[in-house]
Amino acid sequence: MNQQYDPQKKAGKIIGVVFSVFSLCFGGIGLTVIIFLWVEPFDSFGSTPLEFRIFGTFLGLMLVCFPVALLISVFSKNSSPPSSTDLSSAIKTEEGFSCPTCGAGLSTDTEISPSGDVKCPYCNNWFNVRR
């Protein structure tokens, strides 16, 4: 199968890496806040009151859990490899679009839905031309 360069996939990977680095930074800050709040002794002069420790722990957990949840959601969408019947795999040719399943070209009078879905008149496969 012929692999074509897809700039959207490359940009998606770069954005994923940058997002991962920022998420790790925020997670590290959150963990640092939690550790420093609870490591200092309770009965020393100038120690952090219990209310501030609890409040700081919630803020630290937010800094840890929110980026982790976002990373999981970002990478779970991109984890499955595209199938051969992927609806967004229309092939753009010089004449127009062609069906990813049978390779038949679309005529100029082919109806396209507002979301970009098209039904191939030859093999009746649905695919999207706008993604």
Side-chain angles (χ1 to χ4, degrees), residues 35-97:
I35 290 170
F36 280 116
L37 282 174
W38 292 101
V39 167
E40 76 175 309
F42 279 97
D43 56 354
S44 68
F45 179 76
S47 65
T48 308
L50 180 63
E51 297 86 11
F52 290 131
R53 290 180 190 218
I54 292 172
F55 182 73
T57 301
F58 283 127
L59 289 177
L61 284 174
M62 182 181 66
L63 285 172
V64 171
C65 294
F66 186 69
V68 168
L70 285 175
L71 280 174
I72 290 171
S73 69
V74 165
F75 287 113
S76 66
K77 290 179 183 175
N78 297 333
S79 63
S80 61
S83 64
S84 61
T85 59
D86 188 8
L87 294 179
S88 63
S89 60
I91 302 165
K92 176 113 170 105
T93 62
E94 287 136 11
E95 297 85 28
F97 289 98

Side-chain angles (χ1 to χ4, degrees), residues 6 14-15 27 39 70 83 94 99 112 116 119:
D6 189 3
I14 292 171
I15 290 171
V39 167
L70 285 175
S83 64
E94 287 136 11
C99 176
I112 300 175
K119 185 175 183 181

Side-chain angles (χ1 to χ4, degrees), residues 21-34 60 63-65 67-68:
V21 169
F22 279 111
S23 296
L24 288 174
C25 291
F26 281 109
I29 292 169
L31 283 176
T32 304
V33 167
I34 293 169
L63 285 172
V64 171
C65 294
V68 168

